[in-house]
Amino acid sequence: MLSAAAAGIAAWTLDAGARLSVSAPARRHGAQSAPASILDLPSAEAWCTARGVQPAHLSTVYRHLFRREGALHAAPLHAAGLPKEAAAGLCEAFVGVTSRVVETVHSVGGLKLVVELASGRRVETVLILHDHVSSGKQRCTVCVSSQVGCSRGCTFCATGTMGAQAQLSSAEILEQVWHARQALKEAGSAVAIRNVVFMGMGEPLDNLDE
């Protein structure tokens, strides 16, 4: 099943990479002054430290975020153990997920998500469903993008024809995993994400800072 999925991904890359390179952003759904994503860990930790809040509380925030619809809510965060003022402050200073899925393409062995960032640029996230070799249970591998476009210019990859357009932040990379979890949930699938690999758009070694 993995080989079928891999073949499908190759076709998606050649077809959709070219489409993304000429697609104008559908909309800008976040102003430049909009709050940062809570998944921007350095910013979130700095916010906590500046206010005397233990950064360890962020693990509770992330569990909350991944179990809900991508939004932060002060009341359940406080109920889960965050100080009341810290929970309210985090929800005011940060947002949960800043990107959105604008297209989902299904194929044998997986699906592809076209994710629109807050900037209006788009990247691809691919879910590969495959059977584990030893257990036989179905698992999911998520292929995330690390850049918009790519500067490497590989002739076998349509993304290379786009050139390097933007680096993804660590938060934007993590949001792709959140979208993948949501896609599985919406499909009624109980398959767990076991692997995250940098096989989407971009060359991850060109974005090591994130």
Side-chain angles (χ1 to χ4, degrees), residues 91-177:
C91 292
E92 183 177 344
F94 297 93
V95 295
V97 176
T98 62
S99 57
R100 62 174 187 147
V101 175
V102 295
E103 183 180 356
T104 301
V105 180
H106 294 266
S107 180
V108 175
L111 67 155
K112 180 192 69 181
L113 310 177
V114 178
V115 179
E116 184 179 289
L117 309 176
S119 64
R121 297 182 183 274
R122 294 178 177 181
V123 295
E124 295 177 0
T125 305
V126 176
L127 288 73
I128 307 174
L129 301 177
H130 56 95
D131 294 330
H132 188 255
V133 176
S134 58
S135 68
K137 294 182 179 180
Q138 194 172 59
R139 294 185 174 183
C140 178
T141 294
V142 179
C143 306
V144 298
S145 295
S146 56
Q147 297 176 303
V148 180
C150 184
S151 64
R152 298 291 173 154
C154 299
T155 57
F156 58 83
C157 179
T159 302
T161 66
M162 299 170 61
Q165 298 186 14
Q167 302 278 38
L168 267 63
S169 68
S170 57
E172 290 170 329
I173 294 171
L174 287 171
E175 285 184 19
Q176 294 175 67
V177 180

Side-chain angles (χ1 to χ4, degrees), residues 20-124:
L20 285 174
S21 67
V22 298
S23 294
R27 66 182 177 111
R28 294 181 64 90
H29 55 96
Q32 291 185 356
S33 59
S37 169
I38 191 65
L39 292 174
D40 181 350
L41 183 58
S43 296
E45 287 182 334
W47 186 94
C48 289
T49 300
R51 290 158 181 80
V53 178
Q54 291 294 328
H57 282 303
L58 289 173
S59 61
T60 299
V61 177
Y62 295 143
R63 284 195 297 271
H64 167 83
L65 179 67
F66 272 81
R67 289 172 181 171
R68 294 180 177 268
E69 301 302 314
L72 297 177
H73 303 282
L77 287 177
H78 175 53
L82 263 74
K84 187 174 183 179
E85 291 185 0
L90 276 171
C91 292
E92 183 177 344
F94 297 93
V95 295
V97 176
T98 62
S99 57
R100 62 174 187 147
V101 175
V102 295
E103 183 180 356
T104 301
V105 180
H106 294 266
S107 180
V108 175
L111 67 155
K112 180 192 69 181
L113 310 177
V114 178
V115 179
E116 184 179 289
L117 309 176
S119 64
R121 297 182 183 274
R122 294 178 177 181
V123 295
E124 295 177 0

Side-chain angles (χ1 to χ4, degrees), residues 146-147 150 167 198-209:
S146 56
Q147 297 176 303
C150 184
Q167 302 278 38
F198 287 92
M199 290 173 55
M201 297 172 65
E203 169 50 59
L205 293 179
D206 288 341
N207 193 14
L208 279 178
D209 289 343

Side-chain angles (χ1 to χ4, degrees), residues 183-205:
L184 290 172
K185 184 187 299 184
E186 291 170 4
S189 174
V191 176
I193 295 174
R194 294 295 186 183
N195 302 295
V196 177
V197 296
F198 287 92
M199 290 173 55
M201 297 172 65
E203 169 50 59
L205 293 179

